[in-house]
């Protein structure tokens, strides 16, 4: 297979006209849905039953990186569905970027654990939605995201839902958490949201040079390794590994077996969450990924109420409704825009503008022209899919 054909096949993974695009998008959103909901509930379950180490909670968020070997090696070695060997074209620059972003992700994980240890799941989930307004601002700066009525309306609604919650936060303070600890948890959760808002557009910027889903998973694996190294260093200095054994034997009030089941389940659920997030950013854009993740926080709110019997007063009801309203309006806008793009492609319309990437759209005809015009110069970065 020629380099030209191979590059077209890789780039076409992002095309809405590719028959694999929609299934891949749905699978990643499924991972994001299951991972986001279960990881949030399991993290709170750990702290509710006398688990106390924030480093342990941080470590489990990235320690499941070996699971990423499955989507990396299985398509090539088992299914023979790709001609690209794992880590082909993984340049030193991409490696360095992945390690740097991984360390940033490790700090984000620590902030999330700190906030989740003090706040109810529903409160923490709604506060994390505040990252959207910063996501939009940083997306405009980093990846030149266009501000439209569709995305601006969604960001405003989701952000207002967080503001409403903040105004009534004192009514939601757990009885065993002091006002100081509650405030620390509040700030830590906001910090985690802000850092994640920076993480998403940076990833979109990097993914612009990546046209292969397998390489997205490879980069994600390197990031998770870096985040795990950071968490492991904290575990060593804070006695986290020793504490983990002691918690399982003596502290965790549900018993040792349930403790380790909780730890393992946390490891798996967090990997599903991060895999889904990376896939959504790769297939759509950072803002869409952030909006989908924020919308799923509604389910975390409901999950906290159902599983942990948390209060669900008028403020949380209004916040949840606003969150759902904003998300549904954005999804409908994406649907209308994608339909218009497909109709234009079917009718032989002109080229796409730069904003079409934001809904995962690429024109295979334009790709062919670009690749053919450049095939006599430098070789493509990635090889075959």
């Amino acid at each position: 297979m020629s380099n030209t054909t191979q590059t077209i096949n890789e780039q076409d993974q992002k095309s809405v006209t590719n028959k694999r695009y929609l299934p891949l998008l749905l699978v990643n959103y499924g991972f994001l849905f299951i991972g986001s909901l279960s990881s949030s509930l399991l993290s709170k379950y750990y702290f509710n039953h006398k688990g106390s180490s924030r480093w342990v909670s941080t470590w489990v968020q990235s320690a499941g990186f070996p699971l990423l070997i499955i989507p990396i090696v299985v398509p090539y070695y088992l299914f023979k569905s790709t001609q690209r060997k794992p880590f082909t074209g993984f340049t030193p620059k991409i490696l360095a970027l992945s390690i740097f972003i991984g360390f940033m992700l490790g700090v984000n994980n620590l902030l999330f654990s700190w906030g989740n240890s003090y706040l109810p799941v529903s409160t923490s989930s709604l506060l994390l939605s505040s990252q959207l307004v910063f996501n939009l601002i940083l997306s405009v700066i980093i990846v030149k995201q266009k501000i439209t009525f569709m995305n601006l309306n969604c960001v405003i609604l989701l952000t207002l839902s967080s503001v409403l919650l903040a105004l009534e936060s004192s009514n939601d303070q757990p009885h065993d958490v002091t006002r100081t600890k509650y405030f620390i948890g509040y700030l830590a959760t906001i910090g985690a949201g802000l850092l994640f808002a920076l993480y998403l557009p940076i990833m979109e910027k990097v993914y612009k040079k990546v046209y292969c889903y397998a390489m997205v998973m490879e980069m994600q694996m390197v990031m998770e390794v870096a985040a795990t190294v950071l968490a492991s260093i904290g575990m060593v200095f804070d006695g986290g590994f020793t504490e983990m054994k002691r918690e399982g034997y003596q502290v965790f009030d549900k018993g040792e077996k349930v403790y380790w089941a909780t730890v393992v389940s946390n490891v798996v659920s967090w990997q599903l969450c991060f895999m889904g997030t990376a896939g959504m950013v790769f297939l759509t854009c950072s803002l869409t990924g952030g909006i989908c993740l924020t919308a799923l926080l509604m389910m975390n709110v409901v999950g906290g109420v159902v599983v942990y019997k948390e209060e669900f007063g008028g403020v949380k009801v209004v916040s949840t409704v606003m969150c759902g309203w904003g998300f549904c309006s954005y999804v409908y806008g994406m649907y209308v825009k994608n339909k218009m793009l497909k109709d234009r492609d079917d009718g032989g319309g002109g080229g796409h503008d730069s904003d079409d990437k934001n809904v995962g759209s690429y024109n295979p005809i334009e790709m062919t022209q670009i690749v053919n015009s450049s095939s006599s110069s430098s070789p493509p970065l990635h090889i075959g899919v």
Side-chain angles (χ1 to χ4, degrees), residues 45-315:
Y45 183 84
Y46 166 78
F47 287 113
N48 279 354
H49 294 285
K50 298 185 178 180
S52 59
S53 176
R54 294 171 188 83
W55 280 112
V56 171
S57 181
T58 302
W59 184 79
V60 299
Q61 293 181 50
S62 56
F65 66 85
L67 295 174
L68 294 174
I69 294 176
I70 298 174
I72 292 175
V73 304
V74 166
Y76 179 79
Y77 290 103
L78 184 61
F79 294 148
K80 308 294 183 181
S81 59
T82 175
Q83 295 185 354
R84 178 187 177 276
K85 291 183 179 180
F87 292 96
T88 298
F90 209 88
T91 63
K93 182 179 180 179
I94 293 178
L95 178 62
L97 280 172
S98 300
I99 293 174
F100 171 76
I101 296 172
F103 285 138
M104 186 174 71
L105 192 61
V107 175
N108 176 82
N109 294 344
L110 178 60
L111 289 173
F112 175 83
S113 297
W114 201 278
N116 206 35
S117 65
Y118 291 140
L119 300 179
V121 172
S122 53
T123 302
S124 175
S125 299
L126 287 172
L127 284 176
L128 286 172
S129 66
S130 65
Q131 58 90 15
L132 258 186
V133 65
F134 299 100
N135 188 346
L136 177 60
I137 294 172
L138 292 171
S139 294
V140 170
I141 296 173
I142 297 175
V143 295
K144 311 304 180 184
Q145 168 75 45
K146 291 183 179 180
I147 297 179
T148 64
F149 174 78
M150 178 178 69
N151 56 38
L152 185 60
N153 174 64
C154 180
V155 168
I156 290 175
L157 286 173
L158 293 178
T159 303
L160 284 177
S161 70
S162 295
V163 173
L164 282 175
L165 181 70
L167 294 176
E168 294 290 335
S169 61
S170 60
N171 297 329
D172 204 32
Q173 180 178 333
H175 297 298
D176 57 342
V177 175
T178 65
R179 186 63 179 169
T180 300
K181 288 182 178 180
Y182 187 87
F183 184 68
I184 292 174
Y186 189 94
L187 291 180
T189 303
I190 292 292
L194 294 179
L195 200 56
F196 198 73
L198 177 62
Y199 162 79
L200 290 176
I202 289 178
M203 288 310 305
E204 182 182 353
K205 185 78 170 180
V206 174
Y207 287 161
K208 283 186 175 182
K209 298 183 180 295
V210 176
Y211 301 98
C212 173
Y213 182 77
M215 179 168 275
V216 172
M217 292 297 102
E218 291 162 5
M219 293 179 64
Q220 189 65 29
M221 183 175 180
V222 174
M223 293 177 204
E224 298 293 342
V225 170
T228 303
V229 169
L230 181 64
S232 298
I233 293 174
M235 290 271 283
V236 169
F237 280 96
D238 196 44
F241 290 108
T242 303
E243 179 68 15
M244 184 184 288
K245 294 181 180 180
R246 189 183 71 83
E247 280 186 343
Y249 283 118
Q250 303 174 4
V251 178
F252 201 71
D253 61 14
K254 290 293 183 178
E256 183 182 358
K257 291 183 179 179
V258 176
Y259 176 82
W260 290 110
T262 302
V263 170
V264 173
S265 299
N266 251 310
V267 167
V268 175
S269 63
W270 276 111
Q271 284 310 305
L272 290 176
C273 183
F274 284 126
M275 284 176 63
T277 301
M280 290 294 294
V281 173
F282 171 69
L283 294 169
T284 57
C285 71
S286 59
L287 184 59
T288 300
I291 287 174
C292 290
L293 186 61
T294 301
L296 285 178
L297 294 177
M298 285 190 305
M299 297 305 300
N300 292 357
V301 173
V302 175
V305 173
V306 173
V307 176
Y308 300 122
K309 310 302 180 184
E310 296 175 356
E311 294 183 3
F312 195 62
V315 173

